[in-house]
Short mmCIF file of all heavy atoms in Angstrom, two decimals:
data_model
loop_
_atom_site.label_atom_id
_atom_site.label_comp_id
_atom_site.label_asym_id
_atom_site.label_seq_id
_atom_site.Cartn_x
_atom_site.Cartn_y
_atom_site.Cartn_z
N MET A 1 -6.36 13.67 -40.94
CA MET A 1 -4.89 13.32 -40.82
C MET A 1 -4.33 13.66 -42.13
O MET A 1 -4.92 13.40 -43.27
CB MET A 1 -4.77 11.77 -40.52
CG MET A 1 -3.32 11.34 -40.62
SD MET A 1 -2.84 11.18 -38.94
CE MET A 1 -1.24 10.79 -39.17
N LEU A 2 -3.24 14.31 -42.17
CA LEU A 2 -2.55 14.72 -43.31
C LEU A 2 -1.74 13.44 -44.02
O LEU A 2 -1.93 12.42 -43.42
CB LEU A 2 -1.44 15.76 -42.94
CG LEU A 2 -1.89 17.06 -42.60
CD1 LEU A 2 -0.82 17.99 -42.20
CD2 LEU A 2 -2.75 17.72 -43.66
N ILE A 3 -1.31 13.65 -45.13
CA ILE A 3 -0.61 12.63 -45.88
C ILE A 3 0.39 12.03 -45.06
O ILE A 3 1.44 12.58 -44.71
CB ILE A 3 -0.09 13.15 -47.18
CG1 ILE A 3 -1.20 13.77 -48.05
CG2 ILE A 3 0.64 12.04 -48.07
CD1 ILE A 3 -0.69 14.58 -49.24
N GLY A 4 0.28 10.72 -44.82
CA GLY A 4 1.30 9.95 -44.02
C GLY A 4 1.64 10.41 -42.69
O GLY A 4 0.73 10.86 -41.90
N ASN A 5 2.75 10.61 -42.42
CA ASN A 5 3.34 11.16 -41.17
C ASN A 5 3.69 12.67 -41.22
O ASN A 5 4.55 13.10 -40.44
CB ASN A 5 4.63 10.38 -40.63
CG ASN A 5 4.24 9.45 -39.68
OD1 ASN A 5 3.03 9.44 -39.08
ND2 ASN A 5 5.06 8.46 -39.40
N LEU A 6 3.22 13.40 -42.17
CA LEU A 6 3.59 14.81 -42.39
C LEU A 6 3.17 15.58 -41.27
O LEU A 6 3.76 16.71 -40.88
CB LEU A 6 2.92 15.35 -43.75
CG LEU A 6 3.15 16.77 -44.13
CD1 LEU A 6 4.65 16.99 -44.36
CD2 LEU A 6 2.43 17.21 -45.24
N ALA A 7 2.04 15.27 -40.65
CA ALA A 7 1.48 16.08 -39.53
C ALA A 7 2.58 16.18 -38.32
O ALA A 7 2.57 17.28 -37.63
CB ALA A 7 0.24 15.56 -38.94
N ARG A 8 3.34 15.17 -38.15
CA ARG A 8 4.25 15.27 -36.94
C ARG A 8 5.32 16.31 -37.18
O ARG A 8 5.96 16.69 -36.14
CB ARG A 8 4.79 13.85 -36.76
CG ARG A 8 5.76 13.42 -37.77
CD ARG A 8 6.14 11.98 -37.71
NE ARG A 8 7.13 11.88 -36.66
CZ ARG A 8 7.81 10.77 -36.43
NH1 ARG A 8 7.63 9.65 -37.23
NH2 ARG A 8 8.70 10.63 -35.57
N TRP A 9 5.61 16.73 -38.38
CA TRP A 9 6.55 17.86 -38.69
C TRP A 9 6.01 19.19 -38.65
O TRP A 9 6.74 20.27 -38.80
CB TRP A 9 7.24 17.57 -40.00
CG TRP A 9 7.94 16.15 -40.04
CD1 TRP A 9 7.40 15.07 -40.61
CD2 TRP A 9 9.15 15.83 -39.40
NE1 TRP A 9 8.26 14.03 -40.35
CE2 TRP A 9 9.33 14.56 -39.78
CE3 TRP A 9 10.10 16.62 -38.77
CZ2 TRP A 9 10.42 13.81 -39.24
CZ3 TRP A 9 11.18 15.95 -38.29
CH2 TRP A 9 11.42 14.58 -38.55
N LEU A 10 4.72 19.41 -38.37
CA LEU A 10 4.09 20.72 -38.27
C LEU A 10 4.41 21.31 -36.86
O LEU A 10 4.68 20.66 -35.92
CB LEU A 10 2.70 20.64 -38.55
CG LEU A 10 2.20 20.28 -39.96
CD1 LEU A 10 0.68 20.10 -39.96
CD2 LEU A 10 2.81 21.20 -40.99
N PRO A 11 4.51 22.73 -36.78
CA PRO A 11 4.80 23.30 -35.53
C PRO A 11 4.06 22.93 -34.32
O PRO A 11 4.55 22.73 -33.28
CB PRO A 11 4.71 24.79 -35.85
CG PRO A 11 4.76 25.05 -37.26
CD PRO A 11 4.20 23.73 -37.82
N PHE A 12 2.68 22.81 -34.44
CA PHE A 12 1.87 22.39 -33.28
C PHE A 12 2.28 21.03 -32.78
O PHE A 12 2.42 20.86 -31.46
CB PHE A 12 0.39 22.42 -33.81
CG PHE A 12 -0.48 22.04 -32.61
CD1 PHE A 12 -0.86 22.93 -31.59
CD2 PHE A 12 -1.09 20.82 -32.58
CE1 PHE A 12 -1.56 22.55 -30.60
CE2 PHE A 12 -1.90 20.37 -31.55
CZ PHE A 12 -2.16 21.41 -30.52
N ASN A 13 2.44 19.98 -33.56
CA ASN A 13 2.74 18.74 -33.15
C ASN A 13 4.16 18.66 -32.65
O ASN A 13 4.47 18.00 -31.76
CB ASN A 13 2.57 17.72 -34.24
CG ASN A 13 1.09 17.47 -34.49
OD1 ASN A 13 0.23 17.65 -33.71
ND2 ASN A 13 0.82 16.97 -35.64
N ALA A 14 5.08 19.41 -33.20
CA ALA A 14 6.41 19.54 -32.66
C ALA A 14 6.46 20.15 -31.31
O ALA A 14 7.14 19.66 -30.35
CB ALA A 14 7.37 20.37 -33.65
N GLY A 15 5.69 21.14 -31.08
CA GLY A 15 5.52 21.74 -29.73
C GLY A 15 4.96 20.77 -28.77
O GLY A 15 5.40 20.69 -27.50
N GLN A 16 3.98 20.02 -29.13
CA GLN A 16 3.44 18.91 -28.30
C GLN A 16 4.45 17.90 -27.94
O GLN A 16 4.49 17.38 -26.77
CB GLN A 16 2.17 18.24 -28.99
CG GLN A 16 0.92 19.07 -28.91
CD GLN A 16 -0.26 18.29 -29.32
OE1 GLN A 16 -0.14 17.25 -30.09
NE2 GLN A 16 -1.41 18.56 -28.95
N ALA A 17 5.28 17.55 -28.89
CA ALA A 17 6.34 16.50 -28.59
C ALA A 17 7.36 17.09 -27.66
O ALA A 17 7.83 16.33 -26.81
CB ALA A 17 6.99 16.15 -29.93
N LEU A 18 7.57 18.37 -27.80
CA LEU A 18 8.63 19.03 -26.88
C LEU A 18 8.14 19.18 -25.46
O LEU A 18 8.86 18.93 -24.47
CB LEU A 18 8.90 20.44 -27.46
CG LEU A 18 10.01 21.19 -26.76
CD1 LEU A 18 11.39 20.40 -26.93
CD2 LEU A 18 10.12 22.58 -27.37
N GLY A 19 6.77 19.31 -25.30
CA GLY A 19 6.25 19.51 -23.98
C GLY A 19 5.59 18.30 -23.28
O GLY A 19 5.11 18.33 -22.16
N ALA A 20 5.44 17.23 -24.02
CA ALA A 20 4.73 16.01 -23.63
C ALA A 20 5.60 15.22 -22.59
O ALA A 20 6.73 15.02 -22.87
CB ALA A 20 4.26 15.14 -24.77
N GLY A 21 4.95 14.95 -21.45
CA GLY A 21 5.71 14.05 -20.52
C GLY A 21 5.57 12.67 -20.90
O GLY A 21 4.98 12.24 -21.86
N ALA A 22 6.24 11.79 -20.11
CA ALA A 22 6.45 10.38 -20.45
C ALA A 22 5.00 9.72 -20.36
O ALA A 22 4.56 8.93 -21.22
CB ALA A 22 7.30 9.63 -19.46
N ARG A 23 4.08 10.05 -19.38
CA ARG A 23 2.77 9.49 -19.34
C ARG A 23 1.88 9.98 -20.45
O ARG A 23 1.15 9.20 -21.05
CB ARG A 23 2.18 9.90 -17.97
CG ARG A 23 0.88 9.16 -17.73
CD ARG A 23 0.35 9.28 -16.31
NE ARG A 23 0.82 10.35 -15.48
CZ ARG A 23 0.21 10.95 -14.52
NH1 ARG A 23 -0.95 10.49 -14.19
NH2 ARG A 23 0.70 12.05 -13.96
N ALA A 24 2.03 11.24 -20.80
CA ALA A 24 1.29 11.76 -21.92
C ALA A 24 1.69 11.08 -23.26
O ALA A 24 0.80 10.85 -24.12
CB ALA A 24 1.53 13.23 -22.09
N ARG A 25 2.89 10.79 -23.42
CA ARG A 25 3.38 10.12 -24.61
C ARG A 25 2.75 8.66 -24.62
O ARG A 25 2.46 8.14 -25.79
CB ARG A 25 4.91 9.98 -24.70
CG ARG A 25 5.55 11.32 -24.86
CD ARG A 25 7.11 11.09 -24.97
NE ARG A 25 7.73 12.27 -25.28
CZ ARG A 25 7.91 12.69 -26.56
NH1 ARG A 25 7.53 11.90 -27.63
NH2 ARG A 25 8.56 13.79 -26.89
N ALA A 26 2.72 8.03 -23.58
CA ALA A 26 2.10 6.65 -23.50
C ALA A 26 0.60 6.69 -23.83
O ALA A 26 0.10 5.66 -24.36
CB ALA A 26 2.40 5.95 -22.17
N MET A 27 -0.01 7.68 -23.41
CA MET A 27 -1.45 7.80 -23.52
C MET A 27 -1.93 8.24 -24.87
O MET A 27 -3.05 8.01 -25.23
CB MET A 27 -2.06 8.61 -22.50
CG MET A 27 -2.06 8.08 -21.05
SD MET A 27 -2.52 9.16 -19.74
CE MET A 27 -4.11 9.70 -20.34
N THR A 28 -1.03 8.97 -25.53
CA THR A 28 -1.53 9.49 -26.88
C THR A 28 -1.45 8.55 -27.98
O THR A 28 -0.58 7.66 -27.92
CB THR A 28 -0.67 10.77 -27.12
OG1 THR A 28 -1.08 11.41 -28.39
CG2 THR A 28 0.88 10.45 -27.43
N SER A 29 -2.28 8.71 -29.03
CA SER A 29 -2.30 7.70 -30.11
C SER A 29 -1.53 8.40 -31.27
O SER A 29 -1.24 7.67 -32.24
CB SER A 29 -3.72 7.54 -30.62
OG SER A 29 -4.31 8.66 -30.97
N GLN A 30 -1.13 9.68 -31.11
CA GLN A 30 -0.30 10.26 -32.21
C GLN A 30 1.13 9.77 -32.22
O GLN A 30 1.69 9.44 -31.16
CB GLN A 30 -0.39 11.82 -32.01
CG GLN A 30 -1.57 12.47 -32.22
CD GLN A 30 -1.44 14.03 -31.88
OE1 GLN A 30 -0.57 14.37 -31.25
NE2 GLN A 30 -2.39 14.70 -32.39
N ASP A 31 1.67 9.72 -33.39
CA ASP A 31 3.08 9.45 -33.41
C ASP A 31 3.92 10.68 -33.31
O ASP A 31 4.23 11.37 -34.23
CB ASP A 31 3.33 8.69 -34.84
CG ASP A 31 4.61 8.13 -34.91
OD1 ASP A 31 5.43 7.96 -33.90
OD2 ASP A 31 5.12 7.83 -36.02
N LEU A 32 4.37 10.95 -32.08
CA LEU A 32 5.05 12.32 -31.85
C LEU A 32 6.62 12.01 -32.10
O LEU A 32 7.13 10.95 -31.96
CB LEU A 32 4.88 12.69 -30.36
CG LEU A 32 3.50 13.04 -29.98
CD1 LEU A 32 3.34 13.54 -28.53
CD2 LEU A 32 3.03 14.26 -30.85
N LEU A 33 7.24 13.12 -32.39
CA LEU A 33 8.63 13.18 -32.62
C LEU A 33 9.31 12.98 -31.07
O LEU A 33 8.68 13.26 -30.17
CB LEU A 33 9.20 14.51 -33.18
CG LEU A 33 8.70 14.74 -34.57
CD1 LEU A 33 9.02 16.25 -34.94
CD2 LEU A 33 9.47 13.83 -35.59
N PRO A 34 10.48 12.66 -31.07
CA PRO A 34 11.18 12.68 -29.75
C PRO A 34 11.31 14.17 -29.30
O PRO A 34 11.25 15.12 -30.08
CB PRO A 34 12.53 12.08 -30.03
CG PRO A 34 12.76 11.96 -31.44
CD PRO A 34 11.42 12.06 -32.11
N ARG A 35 11.68 14.45 -28.04
CA ARG A 35 11.80 15.75 -27.62
C ARG A 35 12.70 16.56 -28.31
O ARG A 35 12.55 17.69 -28.70
CB ARG A 35 12.14 15.80 -26.11
CG ARG A 35 10.79 15.57 -25.29
CD ARG A 35 11.17 15.70 -23.79
NE ARG A 35 9.95 15.36 -23.08
CZ ARG A 35 9.85 15.36 -21.83
NH1 ARG A 35 11.01 15.49 -21.08
NH2 ARG A 35 8.82 15.14 -21.15
N TRP A 36 13.98 16.01 -28.55
CA TRP A 36 15.00 16.77 -29.26
C TRP A 36 14.57 17.05 -30.79
O TRP A 36 14.96 18.09 -31.25
CB TRP A 36 16.33 15.96 -29.27
CG TRP A 36 16.29 14.66 -29.86
CD1 TRP A 36 16.02 13.40 -29.34
CD2 TRP A 36 16.39 14.40 -31.32
NE1 TRP A 36 15.97 12.52 -30.41
CE2 TRP A 36 16.30 13.06 -31.52
CE3 TRP A 36 16.76 15.19 -32.50
CZ2 TRP A 36 16.50 12.43 -32.78
CZ3 TRP A 36 16.94 14.62 -33.65
CH2 TRP A 36 16.69 13.30 -33.82
N GLY A 37 13.75 16.10 -31.27
CA GLY A 37 13.27 16.31 -32.61
C GLY A 37 12.32 17.42 -32.64
O GLY A 37 12.22 18.26 -33.63
N GLY A 38 11.37 17.53 -31.62
CA GLY A 38 10.43 18.65 -31.57
C GLY A 38 11.11 19.95 -31.38
O GLY A 38 10.78 20.95 -32.09
N GLY A 39 12.10 19.99 -30.61
CA GLY A 39 12.91 21.25 -30.41
C GLY A 39 13.71 21.72 -31.66
O GLY A 39 13.67 22.79 -32.02
N THR A 40 14.22 20.71 -32.42
CA THR A 40 14.92 21.05 -33.65
C THR A 40 13.90 21.54 -34.69
O THR A 40 14.19 22.43 -35.34
CB THR A 40 15.53 19.70 -34.18
OG1 THR A 40 16.50 19.28 -33.16
CG2 THR A 40 16.38 20.04 -35.39
N VAL A 41 12.77 20.97 -34.81
CA VAL A 41 11.78 21.32 -35.79
C VAL A 41 11.36 22.79 -35.49
O VAL A 41 11.25 23.62 -36.35
CB VAL A 41 10.56 20.38 -35.81
CG1 VAL A 41 9.39 20.98 -36.63
CG2 VAL A 41 10.93 19.07 -36.44
N LEU A 42 11.12 23.10 -34.16
CA LEU A 42 10.63 24.42 -33.91
C LEU A 42 11.75 25.39 -34.10
O LEU A 42 11.57 26.54 -34.56
CB LEU A 42 10.27 24.47 -32.42
CG LEU A 42 8.80 23.80 -32.16
CD1 LEU A 42 8.56 23.87 -30.64
CD2 LEU A 42 7.72 24.44 -33.03
N ALA A 43 13.01 25.05 -33.93
CA ALA A 43 14.10 25.94 -34.09
C ALA A 43 14.23 26.32 -35.57
O ALA A 43 14.60 27.37 -36.05
CB ALA A 43 15.44 25.36 -33.53
N VAL A 44 14.15 25.24 -36.44
CA VAL A 44 14.29 25.38 -37.86
C VAL A 44 13.09 26.31 -38.44
O VAL A 44 13.30 27.19 -39.21
CB VAL A 44 14.20 24.00 -38.60
CG1 VAL A 44 13.97 24.22 -40.15
CG2 VAL A 44 15.49 23.31 -38.28
N TYR A 45 11.83 26.05 -37.91
CA TYR A 45 10.76 27.05 -38.16
C TYR A 45 11.07 28.38 -37.85
O TYR A 45 10.78 29.37 -38.61
CB TYR A 45 9.49 26.51 -37.65
CG TYR A 45 8.72 25.56 -38.48
CD1 TYR A 45 8.59 24.20 -38.08
CD2 TYR A 45 8.00 25.92 -39.57
CE1 TYR A 45 7.82 23.34 -38.84
CE2 TYR A 45 7.20 25.11 -40.34
CZ TYR A 45 7.23 23.74 -39.92
OH TYR A 45 6.43 22.86 -40.69
N THR A 46 11.64 28.63 -36.62
CA THR A 46 11.97 30.07 -36.16
C THR A 46 13.02 30.60 -37.12
O THR A 46 12.74 31.78 -37.48
CB THR A 46 12.43 29.87 -34.82
OG1 THR A 46 11.45 29.33 -33.91
CG2 THR A 46 12.74 31.25 -34.31
N LEU A 47 14.02 29.87 -37.48
CA LEU A 47 15.13 30.46 -38.33
C LEU A 47 14.59 30.78 -39.73
O LEU A 47 14.94 31.74 -40.29
CB LEU A 47 16.20 29.36 -38.50
CG LEU A 47 17.07 29.20 -37.12
CD1 LEU A 47 18.05 28.16 -37.29
CD2 LEU A 47 17.72 30.61 -36.74
N VAL A 48 13.72 29.81 -40.25
CA VAL A 48 13.25 30.07 -41.65
C VAL A 48 12.36 31.30 -41.62
O VAL A 48 12.45 32.20 -42.52
CB VAL A 48 12.43 28.89 -42.06
CG1 VAL A 48 11.53 29.24 -43.40
CG2 VAL A 48 13.39 27.63 -42.39
N PHE A 49 11.37 31.53 -40.71
CA PHE A 49 10.56 32.69 -40.68
C PHE A 49 11.29 33.89 -40.30
O PHE A 49 11.00 34.97 -40.93
CB PHE A 49 9.35 32.48 -39.69
CG PHE A 49 8.37 31.49 -40.21
CD1 PHE A 49 7.95 30.34 -39.50
CD2 PHE A 49 7.65 31.78 -41.37
CE1 PHE A 49 6.96 29.50 -40.03
CE2 PHE A 49 6.79 30.98 -41.94
CZ PHE A 49 6.32 29.74 -41.19
N ALA A 50 12.28 33.91 -39.48
CA ALA A 50 13.09 35.12 -39.15
C ALA A 50 13.91 35.51 -40.48
O ALA A 50 13.99 36.70 -40.76
CB ALA A 50 14.06 34.77 -38.10
N ALA A 51 14.44 34.42 -41.21
CA ALA A 51 15.17 34.82 -42.54
C ALA A 51 14.18 35.44 -43.56
O ALA A 51 14.53 36.47 -44.26
CB ALA A 51 15.82 33.63 -43.06
N LEU A 52 13.04 34.97 -43.55
CA LEU A 52 12.09 35.44 -44.52
C LEU A 52 11.61 36.83 -44.14
O LEU A 52 11.45 37.70 -44.99
CB LEU A 52 10.83 34.56 -44.63
CG LEU A 52 10.96 33.34 -45.45
CD1 LEU A 52 9.69 32.43 -45.17
CD2 LEU A 52 11.23 33.63 -46.78
N ALA A 53 11.44 37.12 -42.90
CA ALA A 53 11.07 38.38 -42.38
C ALA A 53 12.14 39.44 -42.66
O ALA A 53 11.91 40.54 -43.08
CB ALA A 53 10.84 38.43 -40.85
N VAL A 54 13.39 39.14 -42.30
CA VAL A 54 14.59 40.07 -42.68
C VAL A 54 14.65 40.30 -44.20
O VAL A 54 14.91 41.42 -44.60
CB VAL A 54 15.83 39.50 -42.07
CG1 VAL A 54 17.06 40.16 -42.53
CG2 VAL A 54 15.79 39.41 -40.52
N THR A 55 14.58 39.30 -44.94
CA THR A 55 14.63 39.43 -46.31
C THR A 55 13.51 40.42 -47.03
O THR A 55 13.75 41.24 -47.72
CB THR A 55 14.59 38.05 -47.17
OG1 THR A 55 15.63 37.22 -46.59
CG2 THR A 55 14.70 38.28 -48.62
N THR A 56 12.29 40.08 -46.42
CA THR A 56 11.22 40.96 -46.92
C THR A 56 11.38 42.37 -46.39
O THR A 56 11.05 43.27 -47.14
CB THR A 56 9.89 40.29 -46.37
OG1 THR A 56 9.76 38.99 -46.78
CG2 THR A 56 8.70 41.13 -46.81
N SER A 57 11.78 42.53 -45.20
CA SER A 57 11.99 43.89 -44.68
C SER A 57 13.06 44.61 -45.52
O SER A 57 12.94 45.80 -45.72
CB SER A 57 12.30 43.85 -43.17
OG SER A 57 11.31 43.38 -42.46
N MET A 58 14.12 44.04 -45.80
CA MET A 58 15.29 44.58 -46.54
C MET A 58 14.89 44.97 -47.91
O MET A 58 15.22 46.02 -48.45
CB MET A 58 16.46 43.71 -46.51
CG MET A 58 17.09 43.43 -45.11
SD MET A 58 17.42 44.86 -44.26
CE MET A 58 19.11 45.20 -44.76
N ARG A 59 14.11 44.22 -48.55
CA ARG A 59 13.54 44.44 -49.92
C ARG A 59 12.61 45.64 -50.00
O ARG A 59 12.53 46.33 -50.97
CB ARG A 59 12.94 43.24 -50.60
CG ARG A 59 13.93 42.17 -50.90
CD ARG A 59 13.33 41.10 -51.70
NE ARG A 59 14.29 40.01 -52.00
CZ ARG A 59 14.06 38.92 -52.50
NH1 ARG A 59 12.73 38.51 -52.72
NH2 ARG A 59 14.89 37.99 -52.71
N ARG A 60 11.69 45.69 -48.97
CA ARG A 60 10.57 46.76 -48.99
C ARG A 60 10.86 47.90 -48.12
O ARG A 60 10.06 48.72 -47.95
CB ARG A 60 9.35 46.02 -48.45
CG ARG A 60 8.92 44.90 -49.29
CD ARG A 60 7.58 44.33 -48.85
NE ARG A 60 7.21 43.25 -49.75
CZ ARG A 60 6.16 42.51 -49.44
NH1 ARG A 60 5.33 42.73 -48.31
NH2 ARG A 60 5.84 41.41 -50.17
N ASP A 61 12.16 48.07 -47.68
CA ASP A 61 12.45 49.17 -46.90
C ASP A 61 12.52 50.47 -47.66
O ASP A 61 12.99 50.52 -48.69
CB ASP A 61 13.94 49.01 -46.25
CG ASP A 61 14.20 49.97 -45.16
OD1 ASP A 61 13.27 50.80 -44.70
OD2 ASP A 61 15.38 50.10 -44.73
N VAL A 62 11.88 51.58 -47.13
CA VAL A 62 11.59 52.64 -48.06
C VAL A 62 12.82 53.69 -47.71
O VAL A 62 12.79 54.82 -48.39
CB VAL A 62 10.26 53.24 -47.54
CG1 VAL A 62 9.93 54.46 -48.35
CG2 VAL A 62 9.17 52.17 -47.92
N SER A 63 13.50 53.62 -46.74
CA SER A 63 14.45 54.72 -46.31
C SER A 63 15.54 54.77 -47.29
O SER A 63 15.83 55.04 -48.20
CB SER A 63 15.09 54.30 -45.01
OG SER A 63 15.82 53.15 -45.14
#
């Protein structure tokens, strides 16, 4: 387990929170984010990595 509740903010656990049904939530011992929170976390990760990719591509473009 990572430090405190840090693991719930990682992409894998955010995806699990987004896709977990009500019965799976009741059976799991993990402290999952709510569905809207999982979707928000994944969207933020997507935006951050897309911005990094564009920035890196623009800096290293050879044309």
Side-chain angles (χ1 to χ4, degrees):
M1 178 103 184
L2 292 174
I3 301 169
N5 258 345
L6 182 63
R8 69 190 284 189
W9 299 100
L10 295 175
F12 179 75
N13 288 338
Q16 280 188 338
L18 188 62
R23 191 169 18 154
R25 285 182 179 275
M27 292 173 50
T28 185
S29 63
Q30 292 179 341
D31 189 16
L32 295 176
L33 294 170
R35 283 189 178 169
W36 64 267
T40 303
V41 167
L42 289 177
V44 168
Y45 270 106
T46 301
L47 292 174
V48 167
F49 284 121
L52 287 173
V54 168
T55 303
T56 303
S57 295
M58 297 304 269
R59 286 186 183 173
R60 295 183 184 176
D61 193 13
V62 181
S63 63

